[in-house]
Amino acid sequence: MSVSASSITVDGKNVELPVKTGTIGPSVVDIGKLYGQTGAFTFDPGFTSTASCESAITYIDGDEGVLLYRGYPIEQLAEQGDFLETAYLMLFGELPTPAQKADFDYRVTRHTMVHDQMNRFFQGFRRDAHPMAIMVACVGALSAFYHDSTDISDENQRMIASLRMIAKMPTLAAMAYKYSIGQPFVYPKNDLDYTSNFLRMCFAVPCEEFQVNPTYARALDKIFILHADHEQNASTSTVRLAGSSGANPFACIAAGIACLWGPAHGGANEAALKMLMEIGTPDNVAKYVAKAKDKNDPFRLMGFGHRVYKNYDPRARIMQKTTHEVLKELNIKDDLLEVAIQLEKIALEDEYFIEKKLYPNIDFYSGITLKALGFPTSMFTVLFALARTTGWIAQWAEMIQDPAQKIGRPRQLYVGPAQRDYVNIGQRG
Ligand code: SDX
C-alpha cells in the first residue's frame, strides 16, 4: 500500500490529508485528522463516496462488472467450487486443501443442530409470520443459548461462533419454512452435504424417504455462492457497526438480517418476483417500464440498478444462466421468465436506463429459480440471509482483528433550531 498526500482548505484552514492506495481499486483520502484540524466534518449521506474500512475479503469493480472473493472471480468459484469451499475461503483467505475442506465440512456439519428449546420459540409466532421476522428473532436468541462463544476477545470462541452461525442458519431457515406450512421440523442428517441437508430439512416429511434432487442441490449451492459476500453493502455495514460496540456475533448477524430485509436490499428478490407476477405477460412490460421512468411514480423495477455496478452485475449473468439450466432440466416452462427476458431487453435498450446505467442485479433472476426449486416468495430473502451469513461472519471477524477498528460513531450536519429557552405551558399558544 502506498501513501501520498492531498490537501484541503476549510474556512481558511489548510490540512494535508494522506492518500492511501490498496492492492486494486480506488485510492482513499484519509480524513481522520480533518475535524481536529479544521473543525469541519465531511458530508456523504448514503456513503456514496466513503470507504468505512480496509478489507481483504471481496473486491467489486462496478464499471467493469467484476466480483472477486479473496481475489478469485465469482464465475470460477460458482462453476468449479461449492458453497462451503467459498465459506472457508471467506474465513481463512485461501482455498482449502482436500484435508482442510474435509475437516471444515465435518466441523460445520456437526454444528447444524440447534438447542431443542429453540423449538418453543416458534410456538410464539403466528403461522403466517414472515420468515424474516422469525429469523431476526431466532438468530438474535442464539446468544441466549451459546454463552460459551460470545466472548469476542477469545479467538477460539470467535471461531466456534462463526461455525455455529454458518451451520445453524440452514436449520433455522428450514424450521421457519416448515412452521409456516404446518409441517413438523426435520432434523439435519450428518451424511448429507450442506445444501442437500438444507433441502431435505425443507422438503422431507416423516411419512416417506426423501431423496435430494442433485440438480436442485447444485443450483441452490451455486446461488448460495453468488450471495455469500459483497463488500461493504448495507447489511454488512450494519453487522460491522453492531460489532464495533463489542456486541456478540449472534446479535450482530441478527442486525444484518434485519437490514437485509428491506426491499432496496435483500428484500428485492421477493419484490422482483412479485413485480414479474404483477406484470404478468410480456405485453404489459412496456407499461411498467414507463412507470419506472416516471418521476411522479414511486414504482421502480425491482432487481434493477445498483449502487456500485454501473455495468451488468456478474452474479445476474450467472443467475440468468442457472435459471435457464434449472427450468430446462426440470422441464418447467415459467411464463415469468419470458416476462423477465422481455423486461430486460426493453430496459437495456431504453435511454433512461442506459443514461442512469441501470442493469439487472442479482435479485432480478434469482426469484424465478427459487420458485422453480419449490420455495415460496416469502423465503427468498431468508435464503439470501442464509448465504450472506458467511460474508457477514468473515467481515465481522476481520473487523474484530483490525487494529484500527474502534466503535463506529458518525457525526452530522445539524439543521435544527439554535439554542432557545423553555416556555411554560401557560405562556404557549
Ligand atoms: C442488493 O450494495 C450491495 O452490494 C447490495 C447487493 C448485495 O449483494 O449486498 O448487491 C444486493 O441489494 C441489490 C439491489 C437490490 N435492490 C433492488 O433491485 C431495488 C431496485 N433498485 C433500486 O432501488 C436502486 O437501484 C438501488 C437501491 C439498488 C441503488 O440505489 P442508489 O445507488 O442509491 O441509486 P439511486 O436510488 O440514487 O438511483 C439513481 C437513479 C435515480 O434517478 P434520479 O434521481 O437520478 O433521476 O436511478 C434511478 C433513480 O430513480 N433508479 C431507478 C432504479 N434504480 C435506480 N429507476 C427505476 N428502477 C430502478 N430499479
Side-chain angles (χ1 to χ4, degrees), residues 176-249:
Y177 172 58
K178 283 302 201 186
Y179 188 75
S180 72
I181 58 174
Q183 288 187 359
F185 299 142
V186 175
Y187 285 84
K189 270 174 73 44
N190 290 350
D191 60 353
L192 292 175
D193 66 70
Y194 187 84
T195 303
S196 299
N197 215 350
F198 172 63
L199 285 168
R200 183 180 167 279
M201 287 190 280
C202 287
F203 299 119
V205 289
C207 327
E208 59 189 23
E209 283 308 304
F210 181 84
Q211 286 302 319
V212 177
N213 179 320
T215 301
Y216 283 50
R218 180 65 197 125
L220 188 56
D221 197 76
K222 195 183 287 187
I223 291 170
F224 286 164
I225 292 171
L226 297 178
H227 287 79
D229 193 52
H230 214 237
E231 198 210 70
Q232 303 312 317
N233 59 84
S235 53
T236 298
S237 299
T238 300
V239 171
R240 279 180 171 260
L241 196 56
S244 73
S245 75
N248 73 71

Side-chain angles (χ1 to χ4, degrees), residues 60 230 233-235 263-266 268 292 295 299-307 310 313 315 352-353 356 358 361-363 384 388:
I60 304 171
H230 214 237
N233 59 84
S235 53
H265 191 13
K295 292 306 279 177
F299 174 80
R300 283 192 167 186
L301 290 186
M302 301 316 282
F304 254 79
H306 199 277
R307 171 63 59 75
K310 301 310 172 189
D313 181 336
R315 304 168 299 174
Y352 174 93
F353 293 86
K356 295 182 188 298
L358 301 175
N361 59 50
I362 189 165
D363 296 308
F384 193 150
R388 186 52 58 86

